[in-house]
Every structure is written in C-alpha cells, then in structure tokens.
Amino acid sequence: MARLAPLTIAEVDAAVRTWRSDLAADPGRSAVELRSQLRELHDLLLRTTAVEVEPRETLDLVAGVIATIGVDAIDRLPTRPRIVFRLLYAERVAAAWQVLLDNAAGVVDTGAFRRTLARSPLRLCVEAPAVFAQLPGFRDPRYDAPDSCYDVTDRTRLRAQLEEIEVDPADGMVRFAGWATVDLLGSSADDSVRVLLADHGREVAVAAIRVRRSDRRAWAGWSAAVDVRDVTGIDVGRWGLSIEVDHEGVVGVADLGADSSDLARVTALDSVDVGDRAVRWDTSGSRWRLIVKDRRARGR
C-alpha cells in the first residue's frame, strides 16, 4: 500500500495561490465551505512531507493566507489540522512542519481514495483544568511555540448515555446506569462521578460508582441510586438529571436523557407508586426530569 502521493513544492505553491485568490474573490463564503477548504489545504500540505525538507517559502505562503482567515474557522477543524494552522497563524512555521510530518504518518493512497491507518492515541498533557496535545514542538525550546497552539481543552466534552432506570417500590430507590466518558481523555476506574438532580435552585448530588464494561468503553460505565423518600433531599418536585465526571481534575457535565437506550425509554413510560410518593418521568426535553409527587395532595 503506497504512501500518500506526493506533490512537488511548485504544485503546492500554485494550489495555495489559487486558493488565496478564490478566498479573496469570495470573502463571504460560509463557515462550512471554509472549513472544508482548510481541510483540503491541510491535505495538500501533507503531500509535501514526502520531500522530507522543510518547504519554508511554501509554509510562509500558507501562513500569510491563514492570517487573513482568523482563528474561528481554524478552531472548528479536527485536532491535528487545527494545531498545524494555529502554529502557522502564530508564525511558528518550523513547529507546524514537524506536526505535519507527524500527521502524515499512516496516511496512504488506496487508488482513488485516501485513508488513515490506525494511529497511536493522541498523547496528552493534563494540567487541570487545561489539556494540551503533546505533538511535536510542544514545550520544545527549539521552536518557542505558544502552549495555546496545542490547547485542546475545549475538545474534552463529556458524552454520556442513560441506559437503564429502575424504580423499586419496596425500598424507594430510583436506580440509574449508563456510560459517560470525556472526549480525548477517556475514562478510568478512579474517576469521580456524580448524578446531579436540580429543581428550581435546589440541587442534590448523588455519588455514582464506575462500572467495568465488556465493550470498548472499558471503565466508562456508571451506576447510581437515589432515595425518593426524602432521605437524600429528593423531595416533591421536577428534578432535571445530569451527570458530572471528574477525570484527573478535568470536570465535565452532561444532561441525561437525550441520548438514552430503548430500554430506558420504555421504562420511563411507567408511573410507579413509592409509599406516599408517585414517581414518573418527563422525557420531552434534552434533559429528562424525575417527577416526584405527593399522592396525598389534592390533584394527584
């Protein structure tokens, strides 16, 4: 299987100049179009890595184009291209070239298509609450590249799914289970996980436990139990559900409900009596609500 087919420096320069002219001719292009063209530009630059000599003039030319675009479009790109263009925007051309060389590793041509072979996971430097990609040039005094170029903190979004819910009339417990993981960082048995319930300024945090899974999410599983008999503060109300994960000091919060399993959705159709309380669910929003009512009250 061949490596990504190279282009000559002259071919890349011509393509970049054409791209710059097109940009000047249509400054009102949409963010989606601009992002697509930036990805194409990154692919062009990957093809220069076959020469194995830093094409300084070409990179300076690209940096000049990037300077006219600004960081907003750059920051919407996938992590690796984003860091290349951030470095070029900061005029750290040598560091950008080293990242391009790293990005090109494993990229091959398969006839009419391009594919990326499996890479090692992106190495990260966690300095909570900040997270940095440890790509070439990061804190390397030879390149004097700003840490901000490698900052990927905004990519550490918490993703979660509610997979199971159960209301037990015998002990008054509402049990939840699912998975939650922080993008880029993954999950660990040492994570601190809490289910948060909020109702008009009232908030109750219930500790959850990490659960080992048999699928690729490994330690992303979690389970928690809430007592709806007012033992933990879950009184009558409409309690919105969310989950909080602290992974190595990086904290993420996500609503629970919008991404739910079929099992959880079916279970949420039922109303269950628990002693003097009635428990049901509001699943109409992105964050499900646990509705607890007093059965003795008028208008039950």
Side-chain angles (χ1 to χ4, degrees):
M1 195 175 289
R3 289 185 60 189
L4 194 64
L7 293 176
T8 66
I9 299 302
E11 289 172 326
V12 174
D13 286 353
V16 172
R17 288 191 173 90
T18 298
W19 194 83
R20 181 176 60 182
S21 298
D22 291 345
L23 182 67
D26 183 17
R29 69 189 62 198
S30 70
V32 173
E33 290 175 318
L34 185 56
R35 187 160 62 249
S36 175
Q37 290 177 326
L38 283 169
R39 295 183 71 160
E40 291 175 5
L41 180 57
H42 178 258
D43 285 350
L44 278 174
L45 294 176
L46 288 183
R47 293 178 181 274
T48 68
T49 59
V51 301
E52 299 180 357
V53 176
E54 178 187 321
R56 181 67 189 228
E57 293 183 2
T58 299
L59 295 175
D60 284 339
L61 178 62
V62 175
V65 176
I66 295 301
T68 68
I69 294 174
V71 295
D72 288 346
I74 293 172
D75 283 351
R76 294 178 181 272
L77 293 170
T79 300
R80 286 175 174 271
R82 180 172 81 163
I83 291 173
V84 170
F85 290 131
R86 276 183 171 183
L87 288 165
L88 290 173
Y89 188 84
E91 299 181 346
R92 298 302 190 272
V93 174
W97 175 244
Q98 294 303 314
V99 176
L100 278 167
L101 290 172
D102 192 82
N103 289 357
V107 181
V108 298
D109 273 342
T110 57
F113 301 98
R114 182 176 71 90
R115 63 177 293 209
T116 303
L117 301 180
R119 285 196 183 106
S120 299
L122 185 67
R123 293 180 61 233
L124 300 168
C125 172
V126 179
E127 295 179 351
V131 180
F132 304 95
Q134 287 190 305
L135 286 171
F138 177 65
R139 293 184 181 169
D140 187 330
R142 294 174 298 175
Y143 300 103
D144 189 31
D147 281 1
S148 59
C149 293
Y150 299 87
D151 192 329
V152 293
T153 307
D154 63 322
R155 298 291 169 92
T156 57
R157 182 175 65 93
L158 179 66
R159 294 185 299 115
Q161 184 181 55
L162 182 60
E163 294 180 312
E164 298 178 41
I165 54 176
E166 176 190 1
V167 182
D168 189 338
D171 62 9
M173 303 300 288
V174 179
R175 295 181 173 83
F176 308 92
W179 61 263
T181 184
V182 180
D183 285 342
L184 294 185
L185 298 180
S187 55
S188 165
D190 297 325
D191 291 344
S192 173
V193 183
R194 302 191 302 170
V195 172
L196 308 178
L197 299 97
D199 175 46
H200 295 93
R202 298 182 295 170
E203 183 170 280
V204 176
V206 178
I209 61 172
R210 271 302 195 197
V211 178
R212 175 74 180 180
R213 299 170 63 93
S214 59
D215 60 18
R216 60 184 177 83
R217 292 192 174 95
W219 281 104
W222 60 269
S223 65
V226 178
D227 194 327
V228 294
R229 298 170 303 181
D230 200 25
V231 174
T232 58
I234 302 300
D235 201 352
V236 171
R238 297 172 57 87
W239 298 91
L241 301 177
S242 55
I243 188 167
E244 176 192 87
V245 174
D246 182 334
H247 179 90
E248 298 182 25
V250 178
V251 180
V253 178
D255 290 344
L256 284 176
D259 187 359
S260 299
S261 70
D262 291 340
L263 176 61
R265 292 183 180 279
V266 169
T267 307
L269 296 174
D270 295 331
S271 177
V272 181
D273 291 340
V274 180
D276 293 330
R277 300 280 172 85
V279 176
R280 63 182 181 87
W281 304 90
D282 178 358
T283 62
S284 60
S286 62
R287 181 171 64 161
W288 285 9
R289 293 186 179 276
L290 171 64
I291 301 175
V292 181
K293 290 189 173 183
D294 187 341
R295 297 172 58 205
R296 298 167 299 180
R298 182 176 300 176
R300 169 184 167 188

